[in-house]
């Protein structure tokens, strides 16, 4: 399977079709045909090659959503280069971990973010790359640096960082085959067509935006509207002006859309055909409220950074609230007990998945890769149950992962930063329910002195992405522990 061959049906086959409206930070919108994207990415490939980037090298980007991420991505698909997306909300400490681990040749970014990069790694300013690409003379057809590269399904295409239970994130090695198979499955299952109009407010540094939105668009040849980031106060204007037929969102975005007035909701619903939710559980009452206000039954699906998408409610047929539906066509799902034996329908167990979408393992972490796979099955760590008719319901996670607004938070990482602060002797971070974000982190601290929450927060803000900042700090005399010393987080006092 070749991702580029799949994309060529659109990039070359539908060259004259208008492909993309991309908003810039200054709110101007630029439009591109698929042919223009093809030509831009050929030029980017030449520029990257001229700067010394070769197949198998890593190239990171730290950018808000913009057309240049598409240019960079397509150029790397063509060159066999491995892309390392970095969350724009990350602070230098979080960025340093990823850069240190992935060892990219360079980080493509903007002038404002150069100071956040670790010393030693070259920052390539996106504006410089754009100028170099524009200066190239278009020869027509693919340049030789592209024609010389042949990638197959197993060629690595992206290292997407995701945390394990240790707190330090690991790079999931996603291949050309992962992205190609994921797009084929989604487009077949969700009826994506060239006539669709897809609104993408998701960040492109995560696989929800990069894997699902970008590749559903490129493979179906539909039209994409890309905005720099989701903003609830602008959502109605975007929907009204663009009239998307399809929207992919995290539950927090649906909570925000429910804040719009009834007439706006009806108008948006009338021109859409599909709303998809994923990355975190969609509460049943949001599902119901959305149906009432927008006239659409949200289609909920389940995926992971390591696997892209695994399970989805059907486009035709029942989209059952509270469930994630049925395995996607190329994915096999097992639900197993602690010894790896399949459990009966109706019994909870861990979901194990297998399919061409699953990553090749973790970057330079043979131990973590070995733990994550069992006989070729990827152990998701998610606990779920299958009904007799095949619908799968997720019930929880094996790890302590907190998901806030669709962003993942590993308590351990926040605990480690807290323990570096003077006077804090012990720290335990847990997720508490939140109506808008799903969950938010709260920190329990054993400290020598009373906690100055404002000061502590100000310090944490320089080291952690905003979505990881604890909502509150609770001072306790001691953390509840087992006889072996493990913190029993479920015994911590509840906060409102
Ligand atoms: C949020 N913020 C951002 C962005 N998103 N800043 C820059 N770029 C962004 N893309 C910051 C805001 O500046 C603010 O920071 C804080 O986050 C909250 O923003 P607010 O406007 O209040 O947003 P909201 O209405 O609460 O909505 C939050 C959100 C955001 C926009 C929905 O949570 C989001 O974009 N989530 C998507 C995450 C995602 O793509 N996950 C997929 C992971 P401050 O507080 O400093 O002012 S992939 C995955 O999980 C698997 C594979 C799967 O199944 O998909
Ligand atoms: P990430 O590490 O960002 O890829 O997050 C993947 C995790 O998000 C999964 O392991 C699930 O725990 C969670 N997740 C994704 N989609 C859903 C969903 N529809 N419902 C519940 N949890 C979800």
């Amino acid at each position: 399977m070749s991702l580029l061959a799949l994309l060529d049906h659109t990039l070359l086959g539908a060259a004259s079709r208008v492909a993309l409206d991309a908003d810039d930070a200054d709110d101007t919108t630029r439009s591109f045909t698929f042919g223009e994207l093809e030509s831009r990415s050929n030029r980017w490939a030449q520029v990257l090659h001229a700067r010394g980037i070769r197949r198998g090298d890593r190239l990171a980007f730290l950018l808000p959503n913009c057309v240049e991420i598409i240019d960079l991505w397509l150029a790397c698909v063509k060159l066999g280069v491995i892309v390392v997306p970095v969350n724009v909300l990350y602070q230098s400490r979080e960025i340093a971990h990823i850069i240190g681990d992935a060892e990219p040749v360079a980080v493509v970014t903007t002038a404002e973010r150069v100071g956040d990069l670790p010393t030693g790694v070259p920052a390539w300013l996106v504006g410089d790359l754009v100028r170099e690409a524009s200066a190239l003379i278009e020869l027509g057809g693919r340049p030789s640096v592209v024609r010389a590269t042949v990638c197959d399904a197993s060629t690595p295409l992206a290292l997407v960082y995701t945390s394990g239970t240790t707190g330090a994130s690991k790079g999931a090695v996603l291949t050309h085959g992962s992205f190609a198979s994921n797009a084929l499955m989604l487009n077949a299952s969700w009826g994506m067509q060239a006539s669709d109009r897809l609104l993408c407010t998701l960040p492109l540094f995560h696989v929800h935006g990069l894997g699902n939105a970008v590749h559903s668009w490129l493979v179906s040849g539909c039209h994409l509207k890309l905005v720099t980031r989701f903003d609830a106060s602008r959502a109605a204007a975007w929907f009204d002006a663009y009239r998307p037929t399809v929207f992919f969102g995290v539950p927090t975005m649906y909570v925000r859309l429910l804040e719009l007035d009834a007439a706006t909701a009806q108008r948006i619903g009338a021109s859409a055909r599909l709303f998809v939710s994923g990355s975190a559980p969609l509460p049943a009452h949001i599902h119901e409220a959305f149906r009432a206000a927008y006239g659409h039954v949200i289609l909920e699906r389940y995926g992971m950074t390591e696997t892209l998408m695994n399970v989805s409610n059907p486009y035709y047929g029942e989209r059952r609230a509270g469930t994630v539906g049925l395995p996607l066509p190329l994915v096999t799902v097992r639900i197993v007990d602690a010894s790896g034996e399949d459990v009966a329908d109706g019994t909870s167990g861990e979901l194990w998945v297998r399919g061409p979408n699953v990553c090749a393992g973790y970057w330079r972490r043979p131990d973590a890769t070995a733990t994550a796979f069992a006989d070729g099955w990827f152990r998701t760590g998610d606990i779920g149950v299958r009904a007799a008719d095949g619908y799968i319901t997720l019930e929880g996670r094996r790890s302590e992962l907190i998901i806030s607004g669709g962003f993942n938070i590993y308590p351990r990482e926040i605990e480690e930063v807290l323990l570096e602060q003077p006077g804090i002797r012990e720290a335990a971070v847990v997720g508490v329910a939140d109506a808008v974000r799903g969950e938010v982190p709260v920190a329990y601290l054993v400290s020598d002195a009373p906690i100055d929450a404002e000061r502590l927060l100000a310090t944490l803000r320089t080291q952690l992405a905003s979505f990881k900042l604890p909502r509150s700090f609770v001072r306790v005399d001691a953390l509840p522990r087992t006889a072996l010393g493990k913190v029993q987080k479920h015994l911590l006092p509840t906060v409102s």
Side-chain angles (χ1 to χ4, degrees):
M1 184 170 4
S2 158
L3 176 61
L4 185 56
L6 190 60
L7 299 180
D8 277 348
H9 285 274
T10 311
L11 295 175
L12 304 177
S16 59
R17 193 182 301 153
V18 180
L20 172 69
D21 286 347
D23 283 3
D24 286 323
D26 64 2
D27 259 357
T28 52
T29 304
R30 288 182 290 162
S31 297
F32 305 90
T33 62
F34 285 112
E36 284 166 337
L37 295 177
E38 159 69 5
S39 152
R40 287 171 64 97
S41 57
N42 285 338
R43 292 167 187 231
W44 269 70
Q46 290 181 82
V47 167
L48 297 179
H49 190 268
R51 284 185 174 229
I53 289 262
R54 295 292 180 269
R55 183 189 178 115
D57 284 344
R58 276 81 57 214
L59 180 65
F61 71 81
L62 175 67
L63 294 169
N65 286 358
C66 56
V67 64
E68 286 77 17
I69 296 179
I70 309 292
D71 298 329
L72 180 153
W73 179 261
L74 289 176
C76 290
V77 168
K78 292 174 175 181
L79 292 175
V81 169
I82 305 173
V83 182
V84 186
V86 183
N87 188 327
V88 287
L89 295 170
Y90 280 179
Q91 303 296 321
S92 40
R93 173 192 179 107
E94 297 154 308
I95 296 169
H97 169 73
I98 294 177
I99 301 306
D101 192 68
E103 297 187 318
V105 170
V107 182
V108 177
T109 191
T110 51
E112 309 82 81
R113 297 306 304 264
V114 171
D116 296 325
L117 302 183
T119 46
V121 61
W124 288 357
L125 296 184
V126 66
D128 290 346
L129 295 172
V130 168
R131 271 186 292 282
E132 286 168 37
S134 315
L136 289 177
I137 295 164
E138 182 69 38
L139 295 173
R142 296 239 157 105
S144 57
V145 290
V146 171
R147 277 185 275 112
T149 311
V150 179
C151 300
D152 64 17
S154 64
T155 310
L157 173 54
L159 295 186
V160 186
Y161 277 77
T162 179
S163 300
T165 45
T166 56
S169 58
K170 308 182 287 285
V173 183
L174 291 163
T175 63
H176 284 239
S178 307
F179 286 95
S181 58
N182 187 63
L184 288 171
M185 291 195 293
L186 298 191
N187 287 1
S189 304
W190 300 346
M192 295 295 295
Q193 292 165 16
S195 54
D196 274 315
R197 298 166 66 74
L198 175 62
L199 173 62
C200 179
T201 63
L202 291 158
L204 298 188
F205 49 75
H206 273 322
V207 305
H208 195 164
L210 185 62
N212 292 11
V214 169
H215 289 78
S216 283
W217 158 56
L218 289 173
V219 171
S220 68
C222 72
H223 189 274
L224 182 78
K225 163 91 180 164
L226 179 68
V227 301
T228 50
R229 54 157 300 204
F230 182 81
D231 179 347
S233 67
R234 305 181 63 192
W238 286 331
F239 273 94
D240 273 339
Y242 183 60
R243 296 184 175 275
T245 59
V246 181
F247 180 74
F248 297 164
V250 298
T252 302
M253 294 177 185
Y254 289 104
V255 173
R256 293 295 190 207
L257 290 179
L258 283 170
E259 292 164 3
L260 300 180
D261 65 76
T264 305
Q266 270 174 22
R267 211 170 48 243
I268 292 172
S271 50
R273 74 166 180 86
L274 178 64
F275 291 88
V276 180
S277 176
S279 304
L282 182 72
H285 70 274
I286 301 297
H287 198 271
E288 264 319 302
F290 199 84
R291 184 210 294 255
Y294 285 74
H296 282 269
V297 181
I298 297 174
L299 185 157
E300 185 171 5
R301 57 67 183 171
Y302 155 67
M304 291 184 80
T305 298
E306 291 92 331
T307 63
L308 305 183
M309 300 303 110
N310 295 313
V311 181
S312 170
N313 270 279
Y315 181 66
Y316 299 106
E318 186 191 1
R319 299 178 197 168
R320 196 176 296 167
T323 80
V324 287
L326 309 164
L328 282 161
L330 302 173
V331 180
T332 316
V333 177
R334 288 175 62 197
I335 302 188
V336 303
D337 64 18
S339 54
E341 297 298 324
D342 292 275
V343 298
D345 289 346
T347 306
S348 300
E350 184 184 355
L351 271 69
W352 287 11
V353 298
R354 194 156 74 174
N357 49 316
V358 176
C359 69
Y362 295 109
W363 177 249
R364 292 178 178 165
R365 294 272 205 289
D367 49 336
T369 303
T371 312
F373 286 88
D375 299 330
W377 295 87
F378 181 76
R379 306 160 58 150
T380 67
D382 288 310
I383 306 298
V385 60
R386 179 164 30 211
D389 61 4
Y391 278 68
I392 294 171
T393 301
L394 296 180
E395 297 179 314
R397 293 179 291 266
R398 231 178 29 181
S399 73
E400 294 173 349
L401 174 71
I402 300 167
I403 306 183
S404 189
F407 286 121
N408 282 5
I409 303 172
Y410 278 85
R412 176 77 182 271
E413 186 189 5
I414 307 175
E415 290 161 6
E416 282 168 7
V417 178
L418 285 166
L419 288 172
E420 289 167 13
Q421 309 311 316
I424 294 182
R425 284 190 281 125
E426 293 182 62
V429 172
V430 297
V432 300
D434 180 83
V436 174
R437 304 256 163 77
E439 292 176 290
V440 289
V442 165
Y444 291 82
L445 303 172
V446 179
S447 64
D448 296 334
I451 297 155
D452 181 344
E454 239 168 74
R455 229 172 106 192
L456 184 52
L457 212 48
T459 310
L460 295 190
R461 204 178 282 282
T462 63
Q463 306 199 40
L464 296 168
S466 56
F467 59 88
K468 298 180 189 170
L469 299 176
R471 162 75 55 95
S472 58
F473 300 98
V474 183
R475 191 172 177 214
V476 290
D477 293 336
L479 296 178
R481 291 184 185 272
T482 63
L484 294 174
K486 188 177 171 346
V487 178
Q488 294 174 295
K489 292 191 172 177
H490 60 284
L491 295 182
L492 288 163
T494 49
V495 291
S496 51

